[in-house]
Amino acid sequence: MSRAWTPVEFETKLRALEVHYHIHHPFNIRMNSGGCTPEQIRGWVANRFYYQINIPLKDAAILSNCDDRETRRRWVLRLLDHDGWQDNPGGIEAWSRLGEATGLSRDEIWSLEHVAPGVRFAVDAYVNFARRAPWQEAVCSSLTEMFAPQIHKDRLTTWPDHYNWIEPEGLHYFRSRIPLAERDVEHGLEVTLTHFKTRDEQERALQILRFKLDILWSMLDAIERKFP
């Protein structure tokens, strides 16, 4: 049996999977270099909205399976981040405002009429995984957040110049997610590095993270086909 990786080695292996993150997808590269049409930008926003509205369902599924109170107390913040609470409208509303800033109507966004079948399939697969998997595995799948701050920073840097027809306040979602993603990664890594101890378990964690990376990549595949 192969020896288990040390926590540092294990984290390094997890972070090395960044090469499969959708930041490297041709559609995302084209989008951040100014090569997308308004229709393609709106199509991307409308399709990613389906992912946004399912994030709280994924997080609620993890909570329902989790028997550790301290984890639940920290994880519930993710659900509130997206659904909103008190005077904070939350990430779903922020993404809806991004859609309006690109020229979509609110009704268009919430109707999901532009969502590609492949995007629905991928997102639903992710939610179903979170419902059925042990909560620690579902937490591990969330570690794509390790790579998210950079993709948000790229959009904040390039979009104002390339897509100056988008109302600037619509980019608030990207700005707001950077510190939240960094907070979430800290917790997700803590759970993953603690739970997956043996080499076989660590290899399983890599497979889970790659599965989630494939979900995000396949979503862009479907969007690219729908909005060529």
Side-chain angles (χ1 to χ4, degrees):
M1 179 180 295
S2 300
R3 72 167 180 85
W5 293 311
T6 67
V8 171
E9 291 172 330
F10 185 23
E11 181 175 343
T12 299
K13 295 283 187 181
L14 290 165
R15 290 187 180 276
L17 291 179
E18 189 271 347
V19 296
H20 303 290
Y21 190 50
H22 65 155
I23 198 171
H24 304 295
H25 192 285
F27 187 89
N28 185 72
I29 293 172
R30 187 164 68 251
M31 184 164 58
N32 283 355
S33 62
C36 284
T37 65
E39 181 187 15
Q40 289 170 326
I41 294 292
R42 286 190 282 267
W44 176 79
V45 171
N47 275 267
R48 283 284 300 193
F49 184 70
Y50 187 67
Y51 180 76
Q52 300 302 320
I53 63 174
N54 274 279
I55 290 175
L57 302 185
K58 176 267 297 183
D59 288 324
I62 293 174
L63 287 171
S64 72
N65 290 329
C66 181
D67 58 0
D68 182 74
R69 180 170 179 254
E70 287 308 309
T71 297
R72 293 197 305 268
R73 284 164 60 90
R74 294 173 68 179
W75 202 267
V76 73
L77 296 177
R78 297 174 180 243
L79 196 153
L80 296 174
D81 287 341
H82 282 84
D83 272 339
W85 57 285
Q86 295 181 352
D87 60 348
N88 182 342
I92 290 175
E93 184 61 29
W95 195 274
S96 179
R97 292 175 181 173
L98 170 63
E100 292 180 83
T102 67
L104 293 165
S105 71
R106 187 175 180 85
D107 287 344
E108 253 185 307
I109 301 162
W110 285 88
S111 73
L112 307 178
E113 63 188 83
H114 299 300
V115 178
V119 170
R120 287 182 183 271
F121 185 85
V123 173
D124 291 351
Y126 180 42
V127 175
N128 286 331
F129 172 80
R131 286 173 175 153
R132 298 170 182 174
W135 66 267
Q136 298 93 336
E137 293 194 356
V139 166
C140 177
S141 72
S142 75
L143 285 177
T144 51
E145 290 280 15
M146 291 189 295
F147 319 125
Q150 187 59 54
I151 207 168
H152 296 319
K153 290 174 184 176
D154 288 349
R155 292 165 186 157
L156 289 168
T157 299
T158 63
W159 280 36
D161 289 332
H162 294 316
Y163 309 112
N164 56 15
W165 49 271
I166 297 176
E167 298 176 13
E169 59 269 24
L171 304 182
H172 170 72
Y173 177 88
F174 305 139
R175 193 172 297 107
S176 68
R177 280 306 304 171
I178 294 172
L180 296 179
E182 292 169 348
R183 178 205 68 193
D184 292 347
V185 166
E186 180 181 356
H187 185 207
L189 272 175
E190 179 183 314
V191 171
T192 300
L193 297 178
T194 300
H195 177 73
F196 297 88
K197 288 292 193 182
T198 70
R199 180 63 171 270
D200 285 346
E201 290 170 344
Q202 292 169 336
E203 294 279 5
R204 170 63 178 161
L206 294 178
Q207 292 171 356
I208 291 166
L209 184 53
R210 180 61 193 271
F211 160 75
K212 173 61 183 308
L213 289 163
D214 288 347
I215 289 286
L216 297 174
W217 192 276
S218 63
M219 287 172 60
L220 277 188
D221 282 346
I223 294 169
E224 188 173 43
R225 283 194 296 271
K226 187 173 176 65
F227 302 95

